[in-house]
Amino acid sequence: MTSPELKPQRHSRASGRVTIVDVARLARVSPMTVSRALKTPALVQLEARDRIAAAIKQLGYVPNQAASTLASAKSQVIGVIVPSLSNSVFVDTLTGIRDSLNQHGYKFLIGESSYSPDKESQLISTYLAHAPDGFLLSGIEQQDALREQLATHNVPAVRMFDLNPGNSEVTVGFSHEEAGYSIARHLIARGYRQPGFLGAQLDPRMMKRRHGFRKALSEAGMNPEVEVLTPVPSTVELGTKMLGQILQQAPACDAVFCCNDDLALGVLFECQRRGLSVPGQMAIAGFNDLPWSAFANPGITTIVTPRYDIGFTAAQLLIKLLRHEPLETTSVDLGFKLAIRSST
Amino acid sequence: MTSPELKPQRHSRASGRVTIVDVARLARVSPMTVSRALKTPALVQLEARDRIAAAIKQLGYVPNQAASTLASAKSQVIGVIVPSLSNSVFVDTLTGIRDSLNQHGYKFLIGESSYSPDKESQLISTYLAHAPDGFLLSGIEQQDALREQLATHNVPAVRMFDLNPGNSEVTVGFSHEEAGYSIARHLIARGYRQPGFLGAQLDPRMMKRRHGFRKALSEAGMNPEVEVLTPVPSTVELGTKMLGQILQQAPACDAVFCCNDDLALGVLFECQRRGLSVPGQMAIAGFNDLPWSAFANPGITTIVTPRYDIGFTAAQLLIKLLRHEPLETTSVDLGFKLAIRSST
DNA sequence: CTGAAAGCGCTTACAG
DNA sequence: CTGAAAGCGCTTACAG
């Protein structure tokens, strides 16, 4: 006969995983002391610390982040939303964010909004389930519903790539309008008579660059209406097509400002194909200073954007917010640089 | 006198967050039924389901992923490690992974190993704290310690970008050696006498492409020793420099195989600058078919790699593994295509 | 400097 | 189809 005391065991849910309790037992301390040794070692006696370290190593202990998040209501995760990963501009920003967050033990979840406000809101809803400590968002044109959602969940956010003076939302970027303005001023100073604008994607920041560009032309008494706009993403291929389109519209066009360098590269290739000398018959200016721009033939005049620094600075500001440290300003202008090269 | 029963409340840790209990109360069901309505709605009566949905909406309830992960030991998170995010090849793979995982409710953590096995192991250790359900790794040359770690934690992994026939590790990619071989065969068939090799990064897959390239030259009785190798990452700028280096080493070199298209673009610009006609005086072949390759002037001959499909397929296989479904094969060869254009 | 108790918000494993 | 109880592995809030 089997013992009637030997009931089948209920609720056996052990994951087999090594836990803080196992480490504590081996190191002959309480679980609480192991937790302290990991988070605030200064509060734990050196001897105990050594025994704990040895036990962790021997057992191959890895802390369970889910348990930590649940108990502390802090996830050490930052949600990052960028418009696109195919655009190396945003990858550079992610690198800046990573370099900044890694120093402070934060991880990040990367989301790609494809420039869609709806998708951005949706991603943020999904990420909220992971209880992120904060968000890094792209642009300043978020939907009201999104603002409410962030406020309800009490999650701080920093906006990147634009400026937002006079607004309480923390923003890190530069003035796209001024950048477009300065390209136009440069082309005017060089003596081009009919500069045109090539715009893709048509996101808000691109439209601001366009606005600055048109403003400078108008101020100089020149025609600001020479342009080709399309909502599709900018690529080299698109640039090759847009050159033909703008020349058809304005045969006298002698310079183009491309809203991104990949468009500019496409224009350059197409000029070569058509036997148009650059900058003699067609000047080309781009935007962002992508890695190849300086090495093209000829080198492409462009706006150097501080995208790595935008990511790094935005992350630093977010960490300050999380620590409730005071900020000097809510709108950080990192500026831009006009790089004049042989294409204009 | 104040009542002696009114003790100060201990252990008040309420986060203020809306929980499943709040939803349950409002919907007049148990928390368990709310949980079921979310995960397995078919098991919940339609009326209850409607009341729960209304309560969720009214309260703005968002499930706490940390609590779910802790209770179920399933995180719905996949760890993805790629060598580099600056290389658009891997970004395309991430897009494929995303398209595949999103269908099944998984999120993913992206790590960048910078082609370093040490960094890869380190990232995986960090990610293990998040209890990922699985990993998608790049390459087949992982360290033994890493294999052990994955085995200990019982986390399945799929390798990407290479082949691994006869091995039990699941791998999705194509043969880099065959790709290098086919580029060499093409250059030989076109009549080039002294093809050279330009290699950057020197990662294992690049070395396999080189091996295939050299093998074809040797078989044809040609000199396989014309090459420039450097461990730095491939860029357009690097390509402009490497052309000079290989011409110095072998002035008769009349064709180059670049281990990546950005190198090829740099070579093209430098040829233009030096007045070398392409392909007349110098033929150029690249690798990967980056977005601009077809639109350069001339279009660049290259190997079209199935990088989106690699990501998509690898994620599909991982999901099968997680569901303990049988796989037909452990090494999936997605192949490659030789795109012959005007540069060769 | 250390530890016992309680709780974070879910899901598992039952029982009905 | 539904629910009460227990537990996942940590950290908080005390008390010493």
PDB file of all heavy atoms in Angstrom, chain C residues 3-4 7-9 13-14, chain D residues 3-4 8-9 13-14:
ATOM      1  P    DG C   3      21.181  37.958   6.195  1.00  0.00           P
ATOM      2  OP1  DG C   3      21.643  36.651   6.713  1.00  0.00           O
ATOM      3  OP2  DG C   3      21.314  38.287   4.769  1.00  0.00           O
ATOM      4  O5'  DG C   3      19.663  38.137   6.613  1.00  0.00           O
ATOM      5  C5'  DG C   3      19.330  38.098   7.994  1.00  0.00           C
ATOM      6  C4'  DG C   3      17.842  38.290   8.158  1.00  0.00           C
ATOM      7  O4'  DG C   3      17.510  39.680   7.892  1.00  0.00           O
ATOM      8  C3'  DG C   3      17.000  37.467   7.189  1.00  0.00           C
ATOM      9  O3'  DG C   3      15.862  36.994   7.901  1.00  0.00           O
ATOM     10  C2'  DG C   3      16.571  38.480   6.129  1.00  0.00           C
ATOM     11  C1'  DG C   3      16.438  39.738   6.977  1.00  0.00           C
ATOM     12  N9   DG C   3      16.581  40.986   6.236  1.00  0.00           N
ATOM     13  C8   DG C   3      17.554  41.305   5.314  1.00  0.00           C
ATOM     14  N7   DG C   3      17.440  42.514   4.832  1.00  0.00           N
ATOM     15  C5   DG C   3      16.316  43.035   5.477  1.00  0.00           C
ATOM     16  C6   DG C   3      15.700  44.308   5.353  1.00  0.00           C
ATOM     17  O6   DG C   3      16.033  45.255   4.648  1.00  0.00           O
ATOM     18  N1   DG C   3      14.583  44.413   6.182  1.00  0.00           N
ATOM     19  C2   DG C   3      14.126  43.430   7.012  1.00  0.00           C
ATOM     20  N2   DG C   3      13.047  43.710   7.727  1.00  0.00           N
ATOM     21  N3   DG C   3      14.694  42.230   7.144  1.00  0.00           N
ATOM     22  C4   DG C   3      15.780  42.105   6.342  1.00  0.00           C
ATOM     23  P    DA C   4      15.136  35.648   7.484  1.00  0.00           P
ATOM     24  OP1  DA C   4      15.734  34.550   8.264  1.00  0.00           O
ATOM     25  OP2  DA C   4      15.103  35.571   6.008  1.00  0.00           O
ATOM     26  O5'  DA C   4      13.660  35.930   8.009  1.00  0.00           O
ATOM     27  C5'  DA C   4      13.461  36.651   9.225  1.00  0.00           C
ATOM     28  C4'  DA C   4      12.037  37.163   9.258  1.00  0.00           C
ATOM     29  O4'  DA C   4      11.964  38.435   8.561  1.00  0.00           O
ATOM     30  C3'  DA C   4      11.021  36.263   8.569  1.00  0.00           C
ATOM     31  O3'  DA C   4       9.767  36.449   9.208  1.00  0.00           O
ATOM     32  C2'  DA C   4      11.016  36.776   7.134  1.00  0.00           C
ATOM     33  C1'  DA C   4      11.199  38.281   7.362  1.00  0.00           C
ATOM     34  N9   DA C   4      11.947  38.962   6.310  1.00  0.00           N
ATOM     35  C8   DA C   4      12.966  38.484   5.535  1.00  0.00           C
ATOM     36  N7   DA C   4      13.443  39.356   4.677  1.00  0.00           N
ATOM     37  C5   DA C   4      12.672  40.491   4.923  1.00  0.00           C
ATOM     38  C6   DA C   4      12.675  41.763   4.344  1.00  0.00           C
ATOM     39  N6   DA C   4      13.520  42.133   3.380  1.00  0.00           N
ATOM     40  N1   DA C   4      11.775  42.647   4.802  1.00  0.00           N
ATOM     41  C2   DA C   4      10.941  42.285   5.784  1.00  0.00           C
ATOM     42  N3   DA C   4      10.840  41.113   6.421  1.00  0.00           N
ATOM     43  C4   DA C   4      11.745  40.254   5.918  1.00  0.00           C
ATOM     44  P    DG C   7       0.080  42.313   1.602  1.00  0.00           P
ATOM     45  OP1  DG C   7      -0.825  43.348   2.151  1.00  0.00           O
ATOM     46  OP2  DG C   7      -0.362  40.912   1.477  1.00  0.00           O
ATOM     47  O5'  DG C   7       0.574  42.803   0.177  1.00  0.00           O
ATOM     48  C5'  DG C   7       1.381  43.963   0.082  1.00  0.00           C
ATOM     49  C4'  DG C   7       2.033  43.984  -1.273  1.00  0.00           C
ATOM     50  O4'  DG C   7       3.106  43.021  -1.288  1.00  0.00           O
ATOM     51  C3'  DG C   7       1.082  43.588  -2.404  1.00  0.00           C
ATOM     52  O3'  DG C   7       1.049  44.657  -3.339  1.00  0.00           O
ATOM     53  C2'  DG C   7       1.693  42.337  -3.010  1.00  0.00           C
ATOM     54  C1'  DG C   7       3.137  42.428  -2.576  1.00  0.00           C
ATOM     55  N9   DG C   7       3.835  41.161  -2.451  1.00  0.00           N
ATOM     56  C8   DG C   7       3.433  40.043  -1.754  1.00  0.00           C
ATOM     57  N7   DG C   7       4.297  39.052  -1.837  1.00  0.00           N
ATOM     58  C5   DG C   7       5.327  39.556  -2.623  1.00  0.00           C
ATOM     59  C6   DG C   7       6.542  38.955  -3.068  1.00  0.00           C
ATOM     60  O6   DG C   7       6.953  37.820  -2.822  1.00  0.00           O
ATOM     61  N1   DG C   7       7.292  39.815  -3.851  1.00  0.00           N
ATOM     62  C2   DG C   7       6.931  41.095  -4.171  1.00  0.00           C
ATOM     63  N2   DG C   7       7.769  41.772  -4.935  1.00  0.00           N
ATOM     64  N3   DG C   7       5.800  41.688  -3.771  1.00  0.00           N
ATOM     65  C4   DG C   7       5.055  40.858  -3.008  1.00  0.00           C
ATOM     66  P    DC C   8      -0.066  44.736  -4.445  1.00  0.00           P
ATOM     67  OP1  DC C   8      -0.798  46.004  -4.234  1.00  0.00           O
ATOM     68  OP2  DC C   8      -0.811  43.465  -4.511  1.00  0.00           O
ATOM     69  O5'  DC C   8       0.786  44.847  -5.777  1.00  0.00           O
ATOM     70  C5'  DC C   8       1.785  45.838  -5.941  1.00  0.00           C
ATOM     71  C4'  DC C   8       2.632  45.469  -7.126  1.00  0.00           C
ATOM     72  O4'  DC C   8       3.547  44.426  -6.743  1.00  0.00           O
ATOM     73  C3'  DC C   8       1.811  44.883  -8.269  1.00  0.00           C
ATOM     74  O3'  DC C   8       1.513  45.945  -9.175  1.00  0.00           O
ATOM     75  C2'  DC C   8       2.735  43.861  -8.908  1.00  0.00           C
ATOM     76  C1'  DC C   8       3.783  43.564  -7.833  1.00  0.00           C
ATOM     77  N1   DC C   8       3.797  42.185  -7.257  1.00  0.00           N
ATOM     78  C2   DC C   8       4.966  41.415  -7.320  1.00  0.00           C
ATOM     79  O2   DC C   8       5.959  41.889  -7.890  1.00  0.00           O
ATOM     80  N3   DC C   8       4.979  40.186  -6.756  1.00  0.00           N
ATOM     81  C4   DC C   8       3.893  39.712  -6.150  1.00  0.00           C
ATOM     82  N4   DC C   8       3.963  38.498  -5.601  1.00  0.00           N
ATOM     83  C5   DC C   8       2.698  40.484  -6.071  1.00  0.00           C
ATOM     84  C6   DC C   8       2.693  41.694  -6.637  1.00  0.00           C
ATOM     85  P    DG C   9      -0.017  46.189  -9.634  1.00  0.00           P
ATOM     86  OP1  DG C   9      -0.045  47.488 -10.340  1.00  0.00           O
ATOM     87  OP2  DG C   9      -0.938  45.921  -8.518  1.00  0.00           O
ATOM     88  O5'  DG C   9      -0.246  45.038 -10.710  1.00  0.00           O
ATOM     89  C5'  DG C   9       0.563  45.014 -11.864  1.00  0.00           C
ATOM     90  C4'  DG C   9       0.355  43.705 -12.580  1.00  0.00           C
ATOM     91  O4'  DG C   9       0.816  42.628 -11.742  1.00  0.00           O
ATOM     92  C3'  DG C   9      -1.101  43.378 -12.911  1.00  0.00           C
ATOM     93  O3'  DG C   9      -1.132  42.843 -14.218  1.00  0.00           O
ATOM     94  C2'  DG C   9      -1.458  42.314 -11.877  1.00  0.00           C
ATOM     95  C1'  DG C   9      -0.129  41.590 -11.778  1.00  0.00           C
ATOM     96  N9   DG C   9       0.043  40.790 -10.577  1.00  0.00           N
ATOM     97  C8   DG C   9      -0.508  41.005  -9.328  1.00  0.00           C
ATOM     98  N7   DG C   9      -0.158  40.102  -8.447  1.00  0.00           N
ATOM     99  C5   DG C   9       0.690  39.242  -9.144  1.00  0.00           C
ATOM    100  C6   DG C   9       1.371  38.080  -8.714  1.00  0.00           C
ATOM    101  O6   DG C   9       1.375  37.564  -7.593  1.00  0.00           O
ATOM    102  N1   DG C   9       2.132  37.517  -9.745  1.00  0.00           N
ATOM    103  C2   DG C   9       2.203  38.014 -11.024  1.00  0.00           C
ATOM    104  N2   DG C   9       2.981  37.336 -11.872  1.00  0.00           N
ATOM    105  N3   DG C   9       1.555  39.098 -11.447  1.00  0.00           N
ATOM    106  C4   DG C   9       0.826  39.661 -10.456  1.00  0.00           C
ATOM    107  P    DA C  13       0.679  23.972 -15.481  1.00  0.00           P
ATOM    108  OP1  DA C  13       2.006  23.338 -15.300  1.00  0.00           O
ATOM    109  OP2  DA C  13      -0.041  23.869 -16.764  1.00  0.00           O
ATOM    110  O5'  DA C  13      -0.285  23.463 -14.332  1.00  0.00           O
ATOM    111  C5'  DA C  13       0.069  23.679 -12.977  1.00  0.00           C
ATOM    112  C4'  DA C  13      -1.102  23.288 -12.119  1.00  0.00           C
ATOM    113  O4'  DA C  13      -2.077  24.367 -12.120  1.00  0.00           O
ATOM    114  C3'  DA C  13      -1.863  22.051 -12.637  1.00  0.00           C
ATOM    115  O3'  DA C  13      -2.331  21.323 -11.518  1.00  0.00           O
ATOM    116  C2'  DA C  13      -3.015  22.663 -13.415  1.00  0.00           C
ATOM    117  C1'  DA C  13      -3.336  23.817 -12.483  1.00  0.00           C
ATOM    118  N9   DA C  13      -4.143  24.884 -13.047  1.00  0.00           N
ATOM    119  C8   DA C  13      -4.255  25.296 -14.339  1.00  0.00           C
ATOM    120  N7   DA C  13      -5.079  26.301 -14.522  1.00  0.00           N
ATOM    121  C5   DA C  13      -5.542  26.564 -13.244  1.00  0.00           C
ATOM    122  C6   DA C  13      -6.457  27.503 -12.753  1.00  0.00           C
ATOM    123  N6   DA C  13      -7.077  28.392 -13.517  1.00  0.00           N
ATOM    124  N1   DA C  13      -6.694  27.502 -11.416  1.00  0.00           N
ATOM    125  C2   DA C  13      -6.068  26.605 -10.649  1.00  0.00           C
ATOM    126  N3   DA C  13      -5.180  25.666 -10.997  1.00  0.00           N
ATOM    127  C4   DA C  13      -4.974  25.710 -12.330  1.00  0.00           C
ATOM    128  P    DC C  14      -2.446  19.712 -11.616  1.00  0.00           P
ATOM    129  OP1  DC C  14      -2.051  19.243 -10.301  1.00  0.00           O
ATOM    130  OP2  DC C  14      -1.722  19.277 -12.848  1.00  0.00           O
ATOM    131  O5'  DC C  14      -3.962  19.343 -11.793  1.00  0.00           O
ATOM    132  C5'  DC C  14      -4.944  20.354 -11.897  1.00  0.00           C
ATOM    133  C4'  DC C  14      -5.543  20.681 -10.547  1.00  0.00           C
ATOM    134  O4'  DC C  14      -5.749  22.104 -10.557  1.00  0.00           O
ATOM    135  C3'  DC C  14      -6.876  19.997 -10.332  1.00  0.00           C
ATOM    136  O3'  DC C  14      -7.008  19.503  -9.013  1.00  0.00           O
ATOM    137  C2'  DC C  14      -7.909  21.075 -10.606  1.00  0.00           C
ATOM    138  C1'  DC C  14      -7.156  22.377 -10.543  1.00  0.00           C
ATOM    139  N1   DC C  14      -7.501  23.182 -11.750  1.00  0.00           N
ATOM    140  C2   DC C  14      -8.352  24.278 -11.594  1.00  0.00           C
ATOM    141  O2   DC C  14      -8.766  24.555 -10.464  1.00  0.00           O
ATOM    142  N3   DC C  14      -8.723  24.980 -12.683  1.00  0.00           N
ATOM    143  C4   DC C  14      -8.244  24.643 -13.893  1.00  0.00           C
ATOM    144  N4   DC C  14      -8.624  25.377 -14.941  1.00  0.00           N
ATOM    145  C5   DC C  14      -7.358  23.523 -14.069  1.00  0.00           C
ATOM    146  C6   DC C  14      -7.016  22.823 -12.985  1.00  0.00           C
TER     147       DC C  14
ATOM    148  P    DG D   3     -16.674  33.936 -13.038  1.00  0.00           P
ATOM    149  OP1  DG D   3     -17.695  34.775 -12.364  1.00  0.00           O
ATOM    150  OP2  DG D   3     -15.709  34.536 -13.980  1.00  0.00           O
ATOM    151  O5'  DG D   3     -15.871  33.140 -11.925  1.00  0.00           O
ATOM    152  C5'  DG D   3     -16.596  32.282 -11.044  1.00  0.00           C
ATOM    153  C4'  DG D   3     -15.629  31.638 -10.082  1.00  0.00           C
ATOM    154  O4'  DG D   3     -14.858  30.640 -10.783  1.00  0.00           O
ATOM    155  C3'  DG D   3     -14.605  32.610  -9.470  1.00  0.00           C
ATOM    156  O3'  DG D   3     -14.451  32.251  -8.113  1.00  0.00           O
ATOM    157  C2'  DG D   3     -13.338  32.325 -10.262  1.00  0.00           C
ATOM    158  C1'  DG D   3     -13.479  30.831 -10.512  1.00  0.00           C
ATOM    159  N9   DG D   3     -12.742  30.334 -11.669  1.00  0.00           N
ATOM    160  C8   DG D   3     -12.686  30.892 -12.931  1.00  0.00           C
ATOM    161  N7   DG D   3     -11.955  30.195 -13.767  1.00  0.00           N
ATOM    162  C5   DG D   3     -11.506  29.120 -13.020  1.00  0.00           C
ATOM    163  C6   DG D   3     -10.663  28.028 -13.389  1.00  0.00           C
ATOM    164  O6   DG D   3     -10.154  27.786 -14.485  1.00  0.00           O
ATOM    165  N1   DG D   3     -10.438  27.155 -12.320  1.00  0.00           N
ATOM    166  C2   DG D   3     -10.965  27.326 -11.063  1.00  0.00           C
ATOM    167  N2   DG D   3     -10.644  26.398 -10.170  1.00  0.00           N
ATOM    168  N3   DG D   3     -11.750  28.337 -10.695  1.00  0.00           N
ATOM    169  C4   DG D   3     -11.975  29.187 -11.719  1.00  0.00           C
ATOM    170  P    DA D   4     -14.053  33.329  -7.029  1.00  0.00           P
ATOM    171  OP1  DA D   4     -15.292  33.867  -6.451  1.00  0.00           O
ATOM    172  OP2  DA D   4     -13.059  34.232  -7.632  1.00  0.00           O
ATOM    173  O5'  DA D   4     -13.318  32.417  -5.950  1.00  0.00           O
ATOM    174  C5'  DA D   4     -13.807  31.108  -5.668  1.00  0.00           C
ATOM    175  C4'  DA D   4     -12.726  30.317  -4.979  1.00  0.00           C
ATOM    176  O4'  DA D   4     -11.858  29.722  -5.984  1.00  0.00           O
ATOM    177  C3'  DA D   4     -11.793  31.130  -4.090  1.00  0.00           C
ATOM    178  O3'  DA D   4     -11.329  30.276  -3.054  1.00  0.00           O
ATOM    179  C2'  DA D   4     -10.687  31.557  -5.046  1.00  0.00           C
ATOM    180  C1'  DA D   4     -10.563  30.319  -5.925  1.00  0.00           C
ATOM    181  N9   DA D   4     -10.173  30.612  -7.300  1.00  0.00           N
ATOM    182  C8   DA D   4     -10.473  31.703  -8.069  1.00  0.00           C
ATOM    183  N7   DA D   4      -9.998  31.648  -9.287  1.00  0.00           N
ATOM    184  C5   DA D   4      -9.343  30.427  -9.320  1.00  0.00           C
ATOM    185  C6   DA D   4      -8.625  29.772 -10.336  1.00  0.00           C
ATOM    186  N6   DA D   4      -8.456  30.261 -11.550  1.00  0.00           N
ATOM    187  N1   DA D   4      -8.092  28.575 -10.034  1.00  0.00           N
ATOM    188  C2   DA D   4      -8.276  28.064  -8.798  1.00  0.00           C
ATOM    189  N3   DA D   4      -8.936  28.584  -7.766  1.00  0.00           N
ATOM    190  C4   DA D   4      -9.443  29.776  -8.103  1.00  0.00           C
ATOM    191  P    DC D   8       6.901  29.084  -7.416  1.00  0.00           P
ATOM    192  OP1  DC D   8       7.586  27.781  -7.566  1.00  0.00           O
ATOM    193  OP2  DC D   8       7.126  29.901  -6.216  1.00  0.00           O
ATOM    194  O5'  DC D   8       7.249  29.996  -8.678  1.00  0.00           O
ATOM    195  C5'  DC D   8       6.913  29.598  -9.995  1.00  0.00           C
ATOM    196  C4'  DC D   8       7.048  30.807 -10.892  1.00  0.00           C
ATOM    197  O4'  DC D   8       5.881  31.637 -10.724  1.00  0.00           O
ATOM    198  C3'  DC D   8       8.230  31.695 -10.535  1.00  0.00           C
ATOM    199  O3'  DC D   8       9.339  31.322 -11.345  1.00  0.00           O
ATOM    200  C2'  DC D   8       7.751  33.108 -10.861  1.00  0.00           C
ATOM    201  C1'  DC D   8       6.224  32.996 -10.897  1.00  0.00           C
ATOM    202  N1   DC D   8       5.456  33.730  -9.847  1.00  0.00           N
ATOM    203  C2   DC D   8       4.485  34.657 -10.214  1.00  0.00           C
ATOM    204  O2   DC D   8       4.309  34.889 -11.415  1.00  0.00           O
ATOM    205  N3   DC D   8       3.783  35.291  -9.241  1.00  0.00           N
ATOM    206  C4   DC D   8       4.006  35.017  -7.965  1.00  0.00           C
ATOM    207  N4   DC D   8       3.266  35.651  -7.051  1.00  0.00           N
ATOM    208  C5   DC D   8       4.987  34.072  -7.569  1.00  0.00           C
ATOM    209  C6   DC D   8       5.688  33.461  -8.529  1.00  0.00           C
ATOM    210  P    DG D   9      10.763  30.990 -10.655  1.00  0.00           P
ATOM    211  OP1  DG D   9      11.606  30.391 -11.705  1.00  0.00           O
ATOM    212  OP2  DG D   9      10.570  30.297  -9.365  1.00  0.00           O
ATOM    213  O5'  DG D   9      11.331  32.433 -10.316  1.00  0.00           O
ATOM    214  C5'  DG D   9      11.540  33.338 -11.381  1.00  0.00           C
ATOM    215  C4'  DG D   9      11.823  34.707 -10.814  1.00  0.00           C
ATOM    216  O4'  DG D   9      10.643  35.178 -10.113  1.00  0.00           O
ATOM    217  C3'  DG D   9      12.956  34.774  -9.788  1.00  0.00           C
ATOM    218  O3'  DG D   9      13.715  35.922 -10.057  1.00  0.00           O
ATOM    219  C2'  DG D   9      12.226  34.905  -8.452  1.00  0.00           C
ATOM    220  C1'  DG D   9      11.045  35.744  -8.881  1.00  0.00           C
ATOM    221  N9   DG D   9       9.901  35.716  -7.997  1.00  0.00           N
ATOM    222  C8   DG D   9       9.501  34.693  -7.158  1.00  0.00           C
ATOM    223  N7   DG D   9       8.417  34.973  -6.465  1.00  0.00           N
ATOM    224  C5   DG D   9       8.078  36.255  -6.885  1.00  0.00           C
ATOM    225  C6   DG D   9       7.008  37.095  -6.477  1.00  0.00           C
ATOM    226  O6   DG D   9       6.107  36.851  -5.672  1.00  0.00           O
ATOM    227  N1   DG D   9       7.019  38.333  -7.143  1.00  0.00           N
ATOM    228  C2   DG D   9       7.961  38.691  -8.070  1.00  0.00           C
ATOM    229  N2   DG D   9       7.818  39.906  -8.590  1.00  0.00           N
ATOM    230  N3   DG D   9       8.980  37.926  -8.445  1.00  0.00           N
ATOM    231  C4   DG D   9       8.976  36.728  -7.817  1.00  0.00           C
ATOM    232  P    DA D  13       8.276  51.708  -0.950  1.00  0.00           P
ATOM    233  OP1  DA D  13       7.078  52.451  -1.395  1.00  0.00           O
ATOM    234  OP2  DA D  13       9.605  52.324  -1.002  1.00  0.00           O
ATOM    235  O5'  DA D  13       8.025  51.183   0.534  1.00  0.00           O
ATOM    236  C5'  DA D  13       6.927  50.308   0.785  1.00  0.00           C
ATOM    237  C4'  DA D  13       7.055  49.803   2.196  1.00  0.00           C
ATOM    238  O4'  DA D  13       8.001  48.702   2.229  1.00  0.00           O
ATOM    239  C3'  DA D  13       7.590  50.850   3.176  1.00  0.00           C
ATOM    240  O3'  DA D  13       6.944  50.654   4.426  1.00  0.00           O
ATOM    241  C2'  DA D  13       9.073  50.492   3.274  1.00  0.00           C
ATOM    242  C1'  DA D  13       8.967  48.976   3.232  1.00  0.00           C
ATOM    243  N9   DA D  13      10.189  48.273   2.894  1.00  0.00           N
ATOM    244  C8   DA D  13      11.261  48.688   2.133  1.00  0.00           C
ATOM    245  N7   DA D  13      12.227  47.817   2.018  1.00  0.00           N
ATOM    246  C5   DA D  13      11.768  46.737   2.766  1.00  0.00           C
ATOM    247  C6   DA D  13      12.331  45.485   3.066  1.00  0.00           C
ATOM    248  N6   DA D  13      13.522  45.091   2.609  1.00  0.00           N
ATOM    249  N1   DA D  13      11.615  44.638   3.849  1.00  0.00           N
ATOM    250  C2   DA D  13      10.410  45.045   4.288  1.00  0.00           C
ATOM    251  N3   DA D  13       9.774  46.200   4.085  1.00  0.00           N
ATOM    252  C4   DA D  13      10.518  47.002   3.307  1.00  0.00           C
ATOM    253  P    DC D  14       6.657  51.941   5.390  1.00  0.00           P
ATOM    254  OP1  DC D  14       5.345  51.677   5.974  1.00  0.00           O
ATOM    255  OP2  DC D  14       6.941  53.183   4.618  1.00  0.00           O
ATOM    256  O5'  DC D  14       7.698  51.906   6.590  1.00  0.00           O
ATOM    257  C5'  DC D  14       8.733  50.934   6.603  1.00  0.00           C
ATOM    258  C4'  DC D  14       8.329  49.726   7.415  1.00  0.00           C
ATOM    259  O4'  DC D  14       8.855  48.589   6.702  1.00  0.00           O
ATOM    260  C3'  DC D  14       8.914  49.736   8.810  1.00  0.00           C
ATOM    261  O3'  DC D  14       7.967  49.345   9.779  1.00  0.00           O
ATOM    262  C2'  DC D  14      10.079  48.776   8.763  1.00  0.00           C
ATOM    263  C1'  DC D  14       9.868  47.967   7.503  1.00  0.00           C
ATOM    264  N1   DC D  14      11.134  47.959   6.719  1.00  0.00           N
ATOM    265  C2   DC D  14      11.905  46.794   6.742  1.00  0.00           C
ATOM    266  O2   DC D  14      11.515  45.817   7.388  1.00  0.00           O
ATOM    267  N3   DC D  14      13.093  46.780   6.080  1.00  0.00           N
ATOM    268  C4   DC D  14      13.480  47.867   5.384  1.00  0.00           C
ATOM    269  N4   DC D  14      14.645  47.796   4.740  1.00  0.00           N
ATOM    270  C5   DC D  14      12.691  49.069   5.352  1.00  0.00           C
ATOM    271  C6   DC D  14      11.540  49.074   6.024  1.00  0.00           C
TER     272       DC D  14
END
